[in-house]
Amino acid sequence: MDVLTKEIAQEIAQRTMKIIPYNINVMDEYGVIMASGVKERIGTVHEGARLVIEEGSRVDIKKEDSESMLGVKPGINLPILFEQKIVGVIGISGDPKELSPFGELVKMGAEMIIQQAFLTEQLQWDERLKEELMSQIINGNLDELARERAKRLKIDLESPRIVIIIAFSSNELDEERVTKRRRELFRLIGEFFTGKAIFANTNPNEVTILRKAPIQRSVLMQEMISLQNTISRIKSISFKVSIGSEYQDIVDAPKAYQQAKEAGRVGEIFSPHQNIYFFDEWILPVTLSSIPNHDHGLIQRYERLVDKDKKGELRETLKLYIDENGDVSKIADQLFIHRNTLRYRLEKIHEITGRDPKKLKDLLELYISQLLNQLKR
């Protein structure tokens, strides 16, 4: 990259002139003025800057000297160094005697701005490389070049890992604020997983994290709750966290990624108020969602119940019967009904669907039919 760009030169000039009451000129490595408080001078050659580049040191120009030099006014001119090389020149217009106290400070400030811009560019470049690498990992397109890139970025591809996806959105309308929120989210994730994970944006509203494994399920759950609390600090951001299975080999990463994606998609259908979805909790509905055609006899059993149960009482009873493993006392208490009323409802479900909820195989069929019906919507 060009370390001293026109934009950086303008930033140096503007920042410096806010601090000291003198005109600032910033020249490139050929002595051409890139930025100046006097706009008419931009693009002209500064002979004093050329002297600085040739001699490699500060050049003071007095009034009498400036009259015989091209594009020069009295002042001091100092080399701007980056990695021990002259990348440009910074000039301060005025009496050299008055300007001497400012010279080194202005030079140092210019070099710091360039260094910061370079580091920012490097970080952005590394993030782009990480994004490309992550895309190759989750799509199963890793090649030798990608593996070499991973080595350069000091990313370990051999360790077992767990795929975690954070899908987020913002209710902000201002695009600049949205970008700021995304950066803050990325920063918090980086701090949270320091040394434990690699991560990158896999689309504008999604961060994919490859967290080192093994880790106990209970510990991972606590970590996800802590992560959720951390992300919640960001205003105007809503998010969902979904987790796939642990993989041992990088070639299995695409499968684990798809598991996390499906856990998030299906979890949102069945439990939209939940923020954390583990694939192993949603295996059955995820598997059912892969059935290409839902229009078969199994789904019709629950559809019959939907058609006949206008108030939704029977569906609510069936759901609770499944959730509470058929515990009649608990179910009756939660529904605020007598046990006889519960038995009547179960018999009604049997009559409508042709399947008896009190029989395990029939209940399983009703449960699957219920899931398919929800997935169809």
Side-chain angles (χ1 to χ4, degrees):
M1 63 171 280
D2 292 330
V3 293
L4 182 58
T5 63
K6 184 176 180 181
E7 291 73 23
I8 295 173
Q10 288 173 337
E11 183 180 352
I12 291 170
Q14 288 169 359
R15 280 199 194 182
T16 308
M17 285 189 292
K18 285 180 180 179
I19 299 170
I20 62 173
Y22 300 97
N23 180 55
I24 298 294
N25 299 312
V26 181
M27 284 70 74
D28 64 16
E29 69 269 37
Y30 304 107
V32 177
I33 298 177
M34 303 175 73
S36 174
V38 181
K39 293 183 179 180
E40 294 77 13
R41 300 190 68 186
I42 296 174
T44 61
V45 175
H46 193 291
E47 195 173 334
R50 287 187 168 179
L51 285 175
V52 172
I53 295 165
E54 289 172 8
E55 297 176 9
S57 59
R58 168 177 163 172
V59 172
D60 291 1
I61 299 173
K62 298 176 182 178
K63 184 177 180 181
E64 54 269 26
D65 298 327
S66 66
E67 294 172 355
S68 61
M69 300 176 73
L70 178 65
V72 174
K73 290 187 177 181
I76 60 175
N77 300 277
L78 304 99
I80 301 174
L81 302 179
F82 178 78
E83 295 183 346
Q84 307 304 314
K85 294 180 180 178
I86 296 177
V87 295
V89 176
I90 186 162
I92 313 174
S93 301
D95 185 344
K97 290 181 181 179
E98 293 180 8
L99 300 176
S100 282
F102 301 108
E104 288 301 319
L105 289 174
V106 168
K107 168 183 160 68
M108 186 189 309
E111 291 172 350
M112 287 177 65
I113 289 172
I114 290 173
Q115 182 69 26
Q116 184 62 45
F118 177 78
L119 291 174
T120 300
E121 178 68 20
Q122 284 296 103
L123 287 173
Q124 290 174 347
W125 178 245
D126 283 352
E127 289 307 322
R128 287 193 289 270
L129 290 178
K130 282 182 183 179
E131 288 172 10
E132 185 177 340
L133 178 63
M134 185 68 80
S135 176
Q136 290 176 294
I137 290 172
I138 63 178
N139 289 300
N141 297 326
L142 272 180
D143 53 23
E144 285 306 311
L145 181 60
R147 290 179 181 275
E148 285 299 318
R149 183 180 296 134
K151 286 181 182 178
R152 190 183 77 75
L153 294 170
K154 297 181 180 179
I155 292 175
D156 174 18
L157 297 180
E158 306 306 320
S159 296
R161 293 183 184 270
I162 296 170
V163 177
I164 301 168
I165 297 173
I166 299 177
F168 60 93
S169 60
S170 174
N171 57 16
E172 285 279 9
L173 299 177
D174 187 287
E175 188 58 37
E176 187 176 335
R177 288 185 179 179
V178 172
T179 301
K180 186 178 179 181
R181 299 283 189 269
R182 287 173 180 161
R183 287 175 182 164
E184 179 67 6
L185 174 68
F186 212 66
R187 184 186 66 79
L188 288 175
I189 291 172
E191 290 178 355
F192 187 88
F193 285 105
T194 300
K196 296 188 290 189
I198 55 176
F199 60 96
N201 282 111
T202 35
N203 70 49
N205 296 311
E206 177 185 284
V207 177
T208 297
I209 301 159
L210 304 184
R211 197 236 186 269
K212 283 185 179 179
I215 180 172
Q216 291 182 356
R217 166 61 186 270
S218 59
V219 176
L220 181 59
M221 184 61 187
Q222 286 302 314
E223 187 173 84
M224 292 302 99
I225 293 171
S226 180
L227 173 62
Q228 177 181 332
N229 293 335
T230 298
I231 297 174
S232 297
R233 299 176 198 164
I234 307 174
K235 294 179 180 178
S236 307
I237 282 278
S238 58
F239 61 93
K240 301 283 183 176
V241 180
S242 53
I243 301 102
S245 298
E246 177 184 325
Y247 69 81
Q248 300 297 315
D249 194 298
I250 194 71
V251 298
D252 295 319
K255 179 181 177 182
Y257 173 78
Q258 285 304 318
Q259 288 176 345
K261 288 286 282 187
E262 286 300 297
R265 183 182 68 82
V266 170
E268 182 70 19
I269 293 171
F270 289 94
S271 189
H273 301 299
Q274 193 172 323
N275 281 333
I276 302 173
Y277 305 109
F278 282 83
F279 172 72
D280 61 5
E281 292 180 350
W282 299 95
I283 290 177
L284 181 56
V286 166
T287 303
L288 292 174
S289 71
S290 66
I291 298 174
N293 184 6
H294 291 162
D295 188 18
H296 45 61
L298 192 58
I299 196 172
Q300 290 170 7
R301 298 205 179 280
Y302 193 78
E303 285 179 343
R304 289 179 204 148
L305 191 63
V306 173
D307 290 339
K308 298 289 184 180
D309 182 31
K310 301 302 181 184
K311 294 182 179 179
E313 291 177 345
L314 299 180
R315 281 169 285 166
E316 182 186 18
T317 301
L318 178 60
K319 183 180 184 306
L320 203 54
Y321 192 83
I322 293 168
D323 291 345
E324 295 297 343
N325 301 306
D327 189 320
V328 173
S329 296
K330 280 187 177 180
I331 297 164
D333 288 344
Q334 289 189 49
L335 292 174
F336 302 103
I337 59 175
H338 194 273
R339 288 188 182 189
N340 290 340
T341 305
L342 176 58
R343 290 191 187 96
Y344 169 79
R345 289 186 183 181
L346 293 175
E347 288 170 5
K348 196 68 179 174
I349 291 169
H350 185 185
E351 178 187 325
I352 294 170
T353 64
R355 291 294 179 268
D356 185 355
K358 296 188 293 298
K359 293 180 180 178
L360 182 58
K361 288 178 67 176
D362 285 8
L363 183 62
L364 177 60
E365 192 172 314
L366 286 170
Y367 178 46
I368 291 173
S369 181
Q370 178 198 58
L371 293 176
L372 287 170
N373 190 272
Q374 287 180 269
L375 287 167
K376 183 179 179 181
R377 284 184 279 160

